């Protein structure tokens, strides 16, 4: 895990956009709460077909059940992020429990794919001073989002497409989900909005 002084500086908040993009049409797609045995492979197929890479914020409990999906995500060149072990609100936990939620997940990812994640996202984006400090101690940086598709509410495929295509802004980080519930609308929406974004000159990047 490196020397004790090697960890990133403690942040006062999570990054919600990509570092200065100078108005360039780049956005980052992120998918939380997987891996999921049905939706993650479906999403990977869509992303592969469009030649796009994203970041997957995975939950430890799901990795333990579907480790092979982690390999598939990495094999396709996507980034992995830590989304805690059991997806509980960090701000309601004692420091020891927060350390365990984040630490166990990074260790598990490392055991499965051979490296630990750089980015971490708190469940519900709910960070506080203690959790940000522990995130940094564990060698990670916190990532939030600027474009919330609210796809977990299942607003309809067209609704998700509209949100992304209407709100795409230089450096935006897009929040979506490939686990935690039925995500067919999300997968279909990605398939539909990627060609629209491309036609409008947008490039999807990994942070
Ligand atoms: Zn989540």
């Amino acid at each position: 895990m490196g020397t004790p002084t090697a960890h990133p500086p403690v942040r006062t908040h999570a990054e919600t956009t990509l570092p200065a993009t100078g108005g360039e049409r780049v956005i980052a797609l992120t998918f939380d709460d997987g891996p999921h045995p049905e939706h993650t492979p479906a999403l990977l197929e869509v992303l592969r077909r469009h030649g796009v890479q994203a970041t997957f914020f995975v939950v430890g409990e799901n990795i333990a059940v579907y480790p092979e999906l982690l390999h598939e995500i990495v094999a396709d060149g996507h980034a992995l992020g830590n989304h805690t072990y059991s997806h509980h609100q960090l701000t309601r936990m004692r420091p020891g429990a927060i350390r365990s939620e984040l630490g166990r997940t990074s260790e598990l990812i490392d055991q499965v794919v051979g490296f630990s994640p750089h980015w971490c996202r708190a469940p519900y984006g709910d960070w506080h001073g203690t959790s940000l400090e522990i995130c940094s101690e564990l060698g990670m940086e916190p990532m939030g989002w600027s474009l919330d598709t609210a796809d977990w509410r299942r607003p309809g495929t067209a609704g998700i497409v509209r949100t992304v295509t209407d709100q795409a802004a230089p450096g935006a980080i897009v929040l979506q989900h490939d686990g935690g519930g039925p995500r067919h609308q999300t997968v279909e929406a990605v398939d539909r909005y990627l060609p629209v974004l491309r036609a409008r000159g947008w490039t999807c990047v990994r942070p």
Side-chain angles (χ1 to χ4, degrees):
M1 298 287 292
T3 61
T5 51
H7 63 69
V10 177
R11 304 289 190 100
T12 52
H13 61 274
E15 287 302 327
T16 54
T17 57
L18 297 168
T21 53
E24 240 187 297
R25 293 200 151 201
V26 294
I27 59 169
L29 305 183
T30 66
F31 298 94
D32 291 11
D33 298 356
H36 182 281
E38 181 189 351
H39 307 307
T40 305
L43 179 61
L44 287 174
E45 187 278 320
V46 167
L47 293 172
R48 203 177 302 136
R49 190 150 36 75
H50 292 281
V52 163
Q53 288 174 339
T55 303
F56 288 77
F57 284 95
V58 289
V59 173
E61 279 177 353
N62 298 335
I63 304 168
V65 186
Y66 309 108
E68 70 284 356
L69 290 175
L70 228 53
H71 286 289
E72 287 185 37
I73 292 169
V74 171
D76 280 1
H78 303 294
L80 285 176
N82 183 325
H83 197 39
T84 75
Y85 199 85
S86 47
H87 206 273
H88 291 136
Q89 249 173 299
L90 299 178
T91 50
R92 296 179 172 216
M93 287 178 202
R94 291 173 185 280
I98 298 171
R99 195 166 281 115
S100 158
E101 278 287 323
L102 300 182
R104 275 175 85 187
T105 306
S106 284
E107 276 167 32
L108 188 53
I109 292 172
D110 190 11
Q111 276 168 28
V112 176
V113 296
F115 60 88
S116 44
H118 178 77
W119 294 104
C120 184
R121 177 173 281 162
Y124 316 105
D126 195 12
W127 293 99
H128 64 338
T130 307
S131 49
L132 287 165
E133 221 168 277
I134 293 169
C135 172
S136 163
E137 281 168 21
L138 292 171
M140 296 183 287
E141 290 194 82
M143 187 187 289
W145 60 83
S146 58
L147 201 171
D148 185 357
T149 60
D151 62 336
W152 58 273
R153 286 188 188 143
R154 282 180 269 155
T157 301
I160 300 171
V161 170
R162 207 176 313 120
T163 301
V164 174
T165 54
D166 284 358
Q167 296 180 28
I173 296 174
V174 185
L175 173 66
Q176 298 157 102
H177 299 80
D178 63 325
R183 305 301 182 213
H184 304 93
Q185 292 183 1
T186 302
V187 174
E188 257 184 63
V190 174
D191 199 14
R192 276 166 55 179
Y193 72 60
L194 282 177
V196 178
L197 289 182
R198 175 174 294 209
R200 295 181 185 175
W202 291 94
T203 306
C204 299
V205 297
R206 278 174 42 169

